[in-house]
Amino acid sequence: MKNRKLALAGLLGAGLLVAACGTSGSDSTAAAPGGQGFTPPKLDALAQLGQPEGQVNVLAWPGYAENGSNDPAVDWVTGFEKETGCKVNVKAFGTSDEAVSLMKTGQYDVISASGDASLRLIASGDVEPVNTALVPNYADVFDFLKNRPWNSVNNVAYGVPHGWGANLLTWRTDKVTPAPTSWSVMFDANSPYKGKISAYDSPIYIADAALYLQTHKPELGIKNPYALDDKQFQAAVELLKQQRPMVGEYWSDYLKESQALKSGDAVVGTAWQVTVNLTKSEGAPVESVLPSEGATGWSDTWMVSAKSPHKTCSYKWLNHIVSPKANAQVAEYFGESPSNPKACAETKEKAHCDTYHAGDAAYAAKIQYWTTPIAQCLDGRTDVKCKDYGEWTRAWTEIKG
Amino acid sequence: MTTTLESPRRKASAFLYRKPRLRLGLLLSAPALWLGLAYLGALAALFVTAFWHTDVFTGQVVTEWSLDNFAMLFSDAVYRTITFRTVGIAALVTVITAVLAFPMAFYMAKFASPRARRLLVIAVMTPLWASYLVKAYAWRSMLSGNGVLHWLLNPFGLDTPGYGVLATVITLSYLWLPYMILPIYAGLERLPNSLVDASGDLGARPFRTFRSVVLPVTFPAVVAGSIFTFSLSLGDYIAVKIVGGTSQMLGNVVYDNIGAANNLPFAATVATVPVVIMLAYLAAVRRTGALDNL
């Protein structure tokens, strides 16, 4: 065990050396991500733009950087290339973990990171602070998305907020009455929808159980569903184990879930807004709600690699991707809420921003955005150790049995 | 004729003719390289990785020897459960495919006319030309609560099994059936008709002939087919993801540890389990002569 700690310290130390600085992190194991009490490697943001370097390597979620090769009608890259002279090379990733390991190669200039990846990137020194003054469209971005724990550290912005959405409580209106307003229909042992429940298939789903316990078992003292100490974690795992026999199916592919809802194999579950829209458009009577307990969700951030040799093009890309037009195109193509209010006037579907509650800060505040659970409690507690993502993954295997 | 007049090609072939060992070496170097580097090398790399671990903070693999992964694999009850479930599913799939395949192969090899036989072989192979995913998803909609099975069974007071272990067994049995039919068919084709006739002439009834003549002779072929169905089921994770409901198999644990947890070493540890099971299985069936039938 001691060797392992030493190795960890060595790796962290190497990371700090790369950053060429001597921060307070002499005890390097303390340098862990987290909004509070967390010292990232000292890196400087770009001071001013230079000449465009001719290209930018983009690491993106599928659907975030479309150049018309998938669908000629969907293209917000070609125009950018013509305008700035920066050729865009896109690499799509499938999971946040894949994104984190790809960023370590140093071959990518910008990345669209979800909250469960962004802190890891900041902590390991793979991404650097962003000088938001050099991103004119940043000023338009909704204030409630700026300087949040997953895209900033100590009020220093590490990227540009891009889009967000919630994992909603979704049900078949013809099979589930009355309309549910609480996650109880999915977690209560006496739920009448036993066997027809659809839950998200990922370790991060443990946070959904923790969020439920936050309201229903206040004595556990859960403040942040991503910062769970041993007792809180066990309670969430127990809840999910109790839920398991009631679950008809776990989903990770939203099309598979949509199909289950359509056929009636699932009548209640957690789903994305895009799933609800898709299922509705195919004629199935489904509705969704942000339940009384709140919900988990995602908020993505475009970040700049610390090793990028194409900084000017990177900043131009950041500015472009949150510009009203491009932001609207991505939000509509992907099915999420845009981060730029001006995007709402640019969407093809006029109701898009209403459907996705863009700009609804009260709505957004009820969402607990995905964040990587780490040993240092994200809610600021220092007297206990929290469960890290590795343990979440192991527990998830155990829950599914 | 002097050597200077010979073409280089002839010179080379003459040289190789005189050096049989070199000839053999050159012939085998490509497959040996493939087997040694790409195949066994990858397996060895897998096995070595299983002893490392991942740094939870940076997500990087730490190349430091430890048995922690194996300790977890054995101490955690859940991995035992998953292993037993996987082996159970694989065994059940093997038995079901063998039972379904034998009569089919028997008819093809012994009764069908040469023309019908060709058509049947093609019919057995046709599913192999369609995508695995399409077939698995087709089963997903057939097994659905309002799918074809529900519609067919409902009049008899039965219902579709829904998604779960049984659905996985059904889907995998469908997927691997051709891999069982073809070896058995090949085995039965080698069974001389005169043996069956002789058994009949000696007074054996059909069942007795089957039990004492046909089955012993074709058993190695059945085992050969079982190696395919068993090992393919053991490593599967897609079918169970599509029709398995909430259940998971060893493949899913491997997949989740790579995809979600970024924990390659533990994934490698779990991946050694089917390898070990298969080695044990192969050792057990070696004596039946099945390996000569592959």
Side-chain angles (χ1 to χ4, degrees):
Chain A
M1 281 306 108
K2 199 175 170 204
N3 279 339
R4 214 153 129 179
K5 264 201 186 129
L6 263 175
L8 178 86
L11 270 167
L12 284 175
L16 289 172
L17 271 180
V18 170
C21 74
T23 55
S24 60
S26 55
D27 174 13
S28 46
T29 44
Q36 293 83 3
F38 145 54
T39 317
K42 193 173 160 15
L43 293 163
D44 290 320
L46 192 67
Q48 59 183 44
L49 294 184
Q51 279 300 310
E53 297 87 353
Q55 63 167 329
V56 57
N57 298 314
V58 174
L59 193 55
W61 283 107
Y64 267 21
E66 292 294 311
N67 55 14
S69 55
N70 288 327
D71 178 354
V74 181
D75 183 359
W76 50 89
V77 165
T78 313
F80 168 79
E81 288 179 330
K82 287 207 183 98
E83 192 188 308
T84 60
C86 301
K87 195 183 167 322
V88 179
N89 310 311
V90 183
K91 162 90 183 160
F93 59 82
T95 64
S96 287
D97 297 293
E98 193 187 338
V100 170
S101 45
L102 281 172
M103 267 313 264
K104 290 194 186 306
T105 64
Q107 288 170 11
Y108 303 95
D109 301 309
V110 289
I111 175 177
S112 65
S114 288
D116 53 342
S118 51
L119 281 187
R120 279 187 271 174
L121 294 171
I122 296 173
S124 57
D126 288 323
V127 294
E128 63 178 28
V130 166
N131 182 350
T132 54
L134 299 179
V135 185
N137 287 322
Y138 184 77
D140 293 333
V141 170
F142 287 117
D143 278 332
F144 69 85
L145 295 174
K146 289 178 183 168
N147 288 335
R148 302 305 303 272
W150 58 88
N151 59 22
S152 72
V153 176
N154 306 329
N155 265 330
V156 175
Y158 272 78
V160 178
H162 177 243
W164 57 275
N167 303 314
L168 298 164
L169 177 59
T170 304
W171 73 95
R172 281 276 298 237
T173 50
D174 56 340
K175 306 254 169 77
V176 178
T177 42
T181 56
S182 155
W183 290 111
S184 299
V185 285
M186 287 183 69
F187 285 115
D188 196 295
N190 301 316
S191 171
Y193 309 112
K194 218 172 173 169
K196 303 258 179 184
I197 290 170
S198 177
Y200 189 46
D201 188 1
S202 162
I204 210 76
Y205 184 64
I206 294 172
D208 287 56
L211 187 74
Y212 178 78
L213 292 174
Q214 201 174 336
T215 309
H216 294 267
K217 273 209 179 146
E219 66 271 20
L220 286 167
I222 296 173
K223 290 204 185 62
N224 176 337
Y226 303 99
L228 304 175
D229 63 33
D230 196 47
K231 205 171 119 233
Q232 298 164 337
F233 188 73
Q234 288 316 327
V237 169
E238 276 314 308
L239 180 62
L240 289 167
K241 278 187 182 163
Q242 174 219 299
Q243 185 201 38
R244 188 196 169 262
M246 304 170 12
V247 172
E249 196 170 36
Y250 292 105
W251 68 275
S252 53
D253 171 357
Y254 76 104
L255 292 171
K256 193 175 127 188
E257 193 200 17
S258 172
Q259 194 216 8
L261 281 166
K262 226 166 39 181
S263 66
D265 288 319
V267 299
V268 60
T270 142
W272 298 331
Q273 185 66 50
V274 61
T275 321
V276 177
N277 296 351
L278 177 79
T279 317
K280 256 190 195 167
S281 75
E282 289 177 349
V286 290
E287 238 8 285
S288 66
V289 71
L290 190 75
S292 55
E293 298 95 345
T296 57
W298 72 92
S299 177
D300 295 342
T301 309
W302 281 96
M303 302 180 135
V304 177
S305 164
K307 305 172 194 99
S308 166
H310 311 114
K311 291 263 159 69
T312 303
C313 275
S314 299
Y315 270 73
K316 289 204 178 287
W317 172 261
L318 255 55
N319 192 46
H320 171 72
I321 203 70
V322 293
S323 67
K325 185 114 209 214
N327 200 213
Q329 282 172 303
V330 180
E332 269 197 303
Y333 185 67
F334 188 77
E336 63 181 3
S337 180
S339 65
N340 187 337
K342 291 183 177 164
C344 293
E346 301 281 345
T347 52
K348 276 202 212 90
E349 168 68 52
K350 286 302 154 208
H352 182 86
C353 279
D354 292 334
T355 316
Y356 288 88
H357 298 268
D360 189 344
Y363 181 88
K366 287 191 212 153
I367 302 172
Q368 293 275 2
Y369 297 100
W370 280 343
T371 310
T372 311
I374 47 166
Q376 288 77 12
C377 296
L378 292 162
D379 58 5
R381 283 180 295 170
T382 49
D383 52 333
V384 283
K385 241 177 123 72
C386 281
K387 295 286 178 183
D388 65 45
Y389 196 59
E391 284 169 291
W392 281 49
T393 313
R394 275 201 290 284
W396 185 242
T397 305
E398 201 190 309
I399 288 161
K400 290 206 292 175
Chain B
M1 199 190 280
T2 60
T3 46
T4 47
L5 287 174
E6 280 176 2
S7 73
R9 209 153 51 148
R10 286 191 62 174
K11 239 165 44 186
S13 81
F15 177 72
L16 283 176
Y17 179 75
R18 284 192 300 271
K19 309 263 184 195
R21 277 180 179 278
L22 183 69
R23 205 167 65 218
L24 189 70
L26 283 175
L27 258 177
L28 289 183
S29 59
L33 211 66
W34 177 255
L35 189 75
L37 279 178
Y39 192 79
L40 293 177
L43 260 182
L46 176 90
F47 196 61
V48 167
T49 314
F51 291 96
W52 293 341
H53 62 90
T54 314
D55 187 314
V56 286
F57 185 59
T58 58
Q60 259 147 4
V61 172
V62 180
T63 54
E64 194 181 274
W65 299 90
S66 90
L67 286 169
D68 290 1
N69 285 338
F70 286 96
M72 192 155 78
L73 190 67
F74 286 108
S75 64
D76 243 335
V78 67
Y79 299 114
R80 245 185 336 262
T81 316
I82 295 172
T83 303
F84 285 137
R85 183 185 302 136
T86 308
V87 172
I89 289 175
L92 208 54
V93 167
T94 303
V95 169
I96 290 174
T97 49
V99 167
L100 289 177
F102 206 95
M104 172 84 185
F106 199 63
Y107 177 78
M108 278 163 66
K110 295 293 164 208
F111 299 105
S113 67
R115 189 183 142 76
R117 184 180 303 173
R118 260 200 305 279
L119 285 176
L120 281 171
V121 170
I122 292 171
V124 168
M125 304 248 289
T126 324
L128 296 179
W129 305 337
S131 160
Y132 175 110
L133 276 180
V134 174
K135 289 183 282 181
Y137 269 103
W139 273 105
R140 182 175 164 83
S141 52
M142 281 196 279
L143 290 159
S144 156
N146 57 5
V148 179
L149 277 184
H150 169 78
W151 178 75
L152 278 175
L153 296 172
N154 213 27
F156 307 102
L158 297 165
D159 206 351
T160 159
Y163 304 139
V165 170
L166 191 56
T168 310
V169 171
I170 293 173
T171 308
L172 287 176
S173 301
Y174 167 80
L175 287 168
W176 308 146
L177 187 60
Y179 294 96
M180 186 61 105
I181 294 180
L182 294 175
I184 298 182
Y185 165 69
L188 280 167
E189 246 197 340
R190 277 196 298 250
L191 170 75
N193 285 338
S194 53
L195 274 185
V196 181
D197 293 341
S199 171
D201 291 347
L202 290 169
R205 291 174 192 281
F207 181 72
R208 172 77 196 202
T209 305
F210 176 78
R211 199 164 57 89
S212 303
V213 179
V214 179
L215 201 58
V217 175
T218 51
F219 186 68
V222 178
V223 175
S226 81
I227 292 172
F228 289 121
T229 56
F230 191 73
S231 67
L232 285 169
S233 308
L234 215 52
D236 194 79
Y237 73 98
I238 306 172
V240 71
K241 244 185 144 55
I242 294 172
V243 298
T246 55
S247 42
Q248 50 185 349
M249 289 169 74
L250 280 171
N252 301 99
V253 179
V254 173
Y255 179 81
D256 288 346
N257 270 291
I258 296 170
N262 203 16
N263 191 345
L264 202 59
F266 189 65
T269 313
V270 178
T272 54
V273 175
V275 175
V276 170
I277 293 174
M278 268 327 281
L279 285 177
Y281 187 69
L282 288 178
V285 300
R286 198 169 54 98
R287 294 178 46 197
T288 65
L291 300 184
D292 308 331
N293 267 273
L294 281 175

